[in-house]
């Protein structure tokens, strides 16, 4: 007995079931609805061990020719063709499939609002097709995930779509197809859109803060000081700069304020140093002019990102210089500063002493040939630039010469007991990472050495000592 064309199809499950928000899942629902509309029986089967390999989660085998169809829309077209659908209706189905392929499928699966807006734009098509029609089956399969996983308040913004969806849910075809569809797809959890109403925090704590308010330590409160690494001011900050320090610190500052902590978040532009002098020479401006320009650029960028600094300053202010000199004076009074002659690298081509960052060479410890003037990034050894083997000036690749110059040093060797006690207490209270502890412990094990705090530069905080007129703090 010859089987009637289109009496049934075999739907073979392959691999894992498709996720509910995928094109494959939408295709499965369209097939089930088209089968309902055309009276076609769907027989389910599991993939045979000897079947050809396929990455598709399912395929359809036609009963009359045993032809396999892997594309859901091809199956839909076939079912309506053998179901003797009127030519005008088949053309309408073709238009609906084309709309789905060209408009809907290019939208991100998670952007439910965009999908619903696209569906609402088809309002004239939706209203022209009653439940259980061929076109409705196509559109319902394509839009079902977005409509069924969006809150009613959002769906109500699209009244034509909402009304059509309610009609479809009440149809016999949809009521019959949905159970089989749900059993053969993987449910996807939809993340709730964040809002002030669903944040799990104390509603009595304000999220906003007043940047004009002076924040001072409060007795009995948890006082939190947050500082970002100061952005250098000789360039325009890019996204990596922002994410790397200021934006991440801002996230924590906002979190700390929400927790009710007395939080002070400060930052500012780092404006002193050799890099500023070099950039100013390149641009043909003074160091102050360069800093004024880029400080404003940085400030505008951070304001655009709405970073919640309590204070955003700069290191070139008079107040900053006063604080630096006051701290230096206290160190001198307590005997924590000493003077040493420092051999330095001097570039005769540039006519300047070279800061550590402008010297490269071979590390004397591990032979890494791209070590910086202050540290080897390969072995982690702290260096003086003169220790480098075959040093070179980064500005002109010239080989610098060694000259001596008097400089001020913080006597860290004398301060090691206090520093060690501080680390032991703070690392336990602050829960330092294992890596931080390991590096710090290694410094103590090797013994802290005096650290130079002045440089032979013109742009910076002047050193208030006789004979240091051409030197600044570093």
């Amino acid at each position: 007995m010859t089987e009637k064309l289109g009496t049934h199809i075999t739907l073979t499950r392959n691999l894992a079931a498709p996720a509910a928000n995928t094109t494959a899942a939408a295709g499965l629902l369209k097939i089930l609805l088209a089968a309902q509309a055309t009276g076609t029986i769907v027989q389910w089967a599991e993939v045979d061990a000897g079947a050809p390999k396929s990455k598709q989660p399912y395929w359809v085998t036609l009963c009359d020719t045993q032809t396999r169809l892997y594309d859901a829309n091809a199956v839909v077209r076939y079912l309506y063709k053998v179901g003797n659908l009127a030519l005008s209706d088949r053309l309408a189905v073709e238009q609906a499939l084309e709309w789905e392929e060209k408009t809907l499928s290019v939208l991100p699966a998670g952007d439910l609002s965009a999908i619903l807006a696209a569906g609402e734009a088809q309002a004239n098509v939706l209203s022209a097709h009653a439940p259980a029609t061929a076109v409705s089956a196509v559109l319902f399969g394509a839009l079902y995930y977005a409509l069924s996983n969006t809150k009613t308040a959002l769906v109500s913004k699209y009244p034509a779509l909402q009304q059509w969806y309610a009609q479809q849910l009440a149809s016999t075809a949809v009521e019959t197809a949905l159970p089989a569809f749900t059993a053969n797809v993987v449910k996807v959890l939809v993340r709730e859109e964040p809002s002030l109403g669903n944040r799990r925090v104390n509603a009595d704590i304000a999220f906003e803060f007043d940047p004009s308010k002076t924040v001072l330590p409060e007795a009995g409160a948890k006082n939190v000081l947050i500082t970002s690494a100061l952005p250098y001011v000789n360039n325009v900050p890019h996204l990596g700069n922002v994410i790397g320090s200021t934006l991440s610190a801002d996230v924590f500052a906002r979190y700390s304020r929400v927790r009710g902590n007395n939080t002070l978040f400060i930052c500012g532009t780092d404006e002193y140093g050799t890099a500023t002098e070099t950039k100013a020479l390149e641009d043909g401006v003074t160091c102050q002019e360069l800093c004024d320009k880029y400080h404003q650029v940085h400030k505008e960028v951070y304001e655009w990102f709405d970073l919640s600094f309590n204070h955003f300053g700069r290191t070139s202010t008079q107040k900053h210089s006063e604080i630096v000199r006051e701290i230096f004076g206290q160190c001198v009074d307590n005997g924590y500063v000493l003077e040493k002659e420092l051999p330095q690298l001097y570039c005769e081509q540039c006519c300047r002493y070279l800061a550590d960052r402008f010297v490269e060479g071979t590390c004397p410890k591990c032979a890494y040939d791209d070590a910086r003037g202050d540290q080897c990034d390969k072995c982690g050894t702290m260096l003086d630039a003169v220790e480098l083997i075959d040093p070179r000036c980064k500005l002109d690749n010239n080989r610098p010469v060694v000259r001596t110059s008097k400089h001020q040093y913080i006597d860290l060797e004398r301060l090691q007991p206090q520093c060690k006690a501080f680390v032991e207490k703070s690392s336990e209270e602050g829960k330092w990472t294992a890596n931080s502890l390991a590096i710090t412990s290694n410094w103590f094990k090797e013994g802290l050495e005096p650290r130079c705090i002045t440089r032979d530069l013109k742009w910076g905080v002047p050193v208030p000592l006789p004979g240091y007129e051409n030197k600044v703090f570093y």
Side-chain angles (χ1 to χ4, degrees):
M1 180 177 176
T2 304
E3 215 168 7
K4 182 182 176 183
L5 190 68
T7 301
H8 74 264
I9 57 174
T10 300
L11 207 158
T12 303
R13 303 181 187 92
N14 181 42
L15 303 175
N21 64 337
T22 61
T23 303
L28 178 60
L29 184 53
K30 286 185 291 184
I31 291 172
L32 295 175
L33 290 171
Q36 285 289 321
T38 58
T40 303
I41 299 172
V42 178
Q43 296 180 340
W44 295 87
E46 302 298 330
V47 64
D48 294 329
K53 300 294 184 182
S54 172
K55 294 183 178 180
Q56 299 298 323
Y58 58 83
W59 61 74
V60 168
T61 304
L62 308 182
C63 68
D64 53 334
T65 64
Q66 295 302 302
T67 301
R68 285 181 177 172
L69 296 179
Y70 293 90
D71 180 71
N73 286 351
V75 177
V76 171
R77 290 183 174 100
Y78 167 80
L79 291 176
Y80 285 131
K81 179 180 178 180
V82 302
N84 296 319
L85 198 65
L87 180 59
S88 59
D89 288 335
R90 284 170 57 189
L91 289 175
V93 167
E94 196 62 40
Q95 289 176 341
L97 291 173
E98 184 178 0
W99 170 79
E100 179 200 18
E101 292 171 351
K102 292 186 176 180
T103 303
L104 214 58
S105 64
V106 299
L107 298 175
D111 194 349
L112 303 185
S113 296
I115 294 173
L116 295 180
E120 180 73 6
Q122 290 290 101
N124 59 331
V125 177
L126 299 175
S127 61
H129 295 276
T133 63
V135 173
S136 288
V138 172
L139 297 176
F140 186 85
L143 296 168
Y144 174 70
Y145 175 78
L147 286 163
S148 61
N149 286 279
T150 305
K151 288 186 174 182
T152 305
L154 179 56
V155 177
S156 64
K157 295 180 180 179
Y158 310 99
L161 186 62
Q162 185 180 38
Q163 181 180 4
W164 172 83
Y165 179 57
Q167 292 173 348
Q168 298 300 313
L169 288 177
S171 69
T172 302
V174 170
E175 289 180 345
T176 304
L178 279 181
F181 168 76
T182 304
N184 287 279
V185 296
V186 178
K187 184 178 181 180
V188 178
L189 296 178
V190 179
R191 184 179 178 183
E192 187 178 15
E193 288 294 321
S195 66
L196 287 175
N198 62 27
R199 290 196 234 195
R200 297 179 181 178
V201 296
N202 188 339
D204 295 329
I205 300 176
F207 282 83
E208 295 76 21
F209 81 105
D210 182 1
S212 63
K213 178 184 176 182
T214 300
V215 179
L216 298 173
E218 296 178 0
K222 184 175 182 179
N223 300 300
V224 178
L225 172 63
I226 301 169
T227 63
S228 295
L230 301 186
Y232 213 74
V233 77
N234 65 335
N235 56 16
V236 178
H238 56 68
L239 187 58
N241 300 138
V242 177
I243 293 174
S245 60
T246 52
L247 183 61
S248 52
D250 179 71
V251 171
F252 183 73
R254 291 171 183 270
Y255 165 78
S256 182
R257 294 186 184 109
V258 168
R259 296 287 294 175
N261 301 327
N262 184 39
T263 303
L264 177 63
F265 179 27
I266 60 175
C267 190
T269 45
D270 186 358
E271 304 185 2
Y272 286 139
T274 306
T276 301
E277 290 187 0
T278 304
K279 180 65 175 175
L281 286 172
E282 291 176 359
D283 292 0
V285 297
T286 67
C287 291
Q288 187 64 61
E289 289 172 339
L290 182 85
C291 292
D292 290 344
K293 171 187 173 181
Y294 283 107
H295 171 80
Q296 187 60 32
V297 170
H298 277 254
K299 188 171 182 292
E300 290 174 356
V301 168
Y302 304 138
E303 286 176 351
W304 187 90
F305 275 95
D306 196 26
L307 301 187
S308 58
F309 299 121
N310 291 95
H311 176 72
F312 185 77
R314 50 196 306 188
T315 58
S316 62
T317 63
Q318 181 61 33
K319 187 64 176 178
H320 177 83
S321 297
E322 292 173 2
I323 294 172
V324 170
R325 286 194 288 264
E326 181 182 351
I327 294 174
F328 174 70
Q330 292 173 353
C331 290
V332 171
D333 293 342
N334 289 315
Y336 297 146
V337 177
L338 52 87
E339 183 179 79
K340 293 174 62 177
E341 281 201 350
L342 173 67
Q344 289 181 262
L345 294 178
Y346 184 87
C347 180
E348 295 177 321
Q349 189 73 24
C350 299
C351 298
R352 66 174 61 213
Y353 285 99
L354 297 177
D356 296 337
R357 69 172 64 200
F358 289 102
V359 182
E360 292 177 336
T362 302
C363 175
K365 301 288 185 181
C366 70
Y368 177 55
D369 62 0
D370 202 24
R372 300 201 316 266
D374 58 349
Q375 179 178 332
C376 175
D377 289 332
K378 184 176 181 181
C379 67
T381 301
M382 304 297 290
L383 301 169
D384 279 328
V386 292
E387 296 177 321
L388 291 174
I389 301 170
D390 296 326
R392 57 188 180 274
C393 173
K394 286 182 63 176
L395 300 175
D396 57 20
N397 214 35
N398 186 51
R399 184 184 178 92
V401 297
V402 178
R403 293 186 180 181
T404 58
S405 179
K406 290 183 180 180
H407 284 281
Q408 297 292 304
Y409 283 72
I410 288 288
D411 192 357
L412 292 179
E413 182 178 7
R414 180 179 177 184
L415 288 167
Q416 177 158 331
Q418 295 97 309
C419 292
K420 192 172 183 179
F422 170 81
V423 168
E424 289 174 352
K425 181 175 183 292
S426 299
S427 62
E428 183 175 346
E429 294 177 350
K431 299 180 180 179
W432 289 18
T433 64
N435 188 48
S436 299
L437 277 173
I439 293 174
T440 309
S441 298
N442 189 55
W443 286 344
F444 288 139
K445 184 178 179 180
E446 294 179 353
L448 299 183
E449 298 180 357
R451 193 71 174 170
C452 185
I453 59 172
T454 56
R455 288 290 186 272
D456 287 286
L457 297 172
K458 297 179 180 178
W459 179 245
V461 177
V463 181
L465 294 174
Y468 282 77
E469 289 77 12
N470 293 320
K471 303 180 192 294
V472 297
F473 285 110
Y474 175 78

